Amino acid sequence: QVQLVESGGGLVQPGGSLRLSCVASDTSVSAYIMRWFRQAPGKERELVARISTMGIPNYADSVRGRFTIWRDNAKSTVYLQMNSLKPDDAAVYYCNAITPGGERSFWGQGTQVTVSS
């Protein structure tokens, strides 16, 4: 069982930045694909960014160029730098660790991001 704890959410004005962190309880997370999802009220959970075990990132079209994902396996941590935030980015952001074959998947509890003036 891998426990994931997100942090870094909060209230930010449009155009501002936040950095989310997701710390895993187990160093075995280096063998997992790490993903950030978000879910806004009344909407389905959507994939925002993912990073492979080799450190290769991928982004949703809606955040590409504004968000950056990276991982520090020595710290069992994955980050999501969010720049040029928009009101549409407001959501609960969830960290997910999944094995490449999809056999095991773990979720964090989520962290709230609010974008408002």
Side-chain angles (χ1 to χ4, degrees):
Q1 186 81 5
V2 175
Q3 295 182 335
L4 303 173
V5 179
E6 302 101 328
S7 62
L11 172 64
V12 64
Q13 294 185 342
S17 298
L18 283 174
R19 178 178 295 182
L20 306 183
S21 300
C22 171
V23 181
S25 61
D26 193 329
T27 56
S28 68
V29 75
S30 62
Y32 288 70
I33 296 167
M34 300 300 294
R35 304 186 292 181
W36 285 100
F37 286 77
R38 67 186 181 188
Q39 187 168 21
K43 295 186 177 181
E44 294 186 355
R45 190 170 297 190
E46 64 171 339
L47 177 62
V48 174
R50 68 188 293 275
I51 187 164
S52 73
T53 58
M54 298 300 292
I56 299 172
N58 289 100
Y59 302 95
D61 288 343
S62 58
V63 306
R64 187 175 292 112
R66 299 187 298 121
F67 290 13
T68 302
I69 186 172
W70 74 98
R71 64 193 301 163
D72 185 338
N73 289 334
K75 296 182 179 180
S76 300
T77 302
V78 62
Y79 302 94
L80 185 69
Q81 177 68 40
M82 306 186 294
N83 297 330
S84 303
L85 283 161
K86 306 174 182 179
D88 284 349
D89 295 318
V92 178
Y93 282 71
Y94 296 92
C95 178
N96 170 258
I98 188 167
T99 53
E103 304 88 357
R104 305 183 75 189
S105 178
F106 303 97
W107 292 89
Q109 83 289 347
T111 185
Q112 177 72 50
V113 172
T114 303
V115 184
S116 175
S117 55

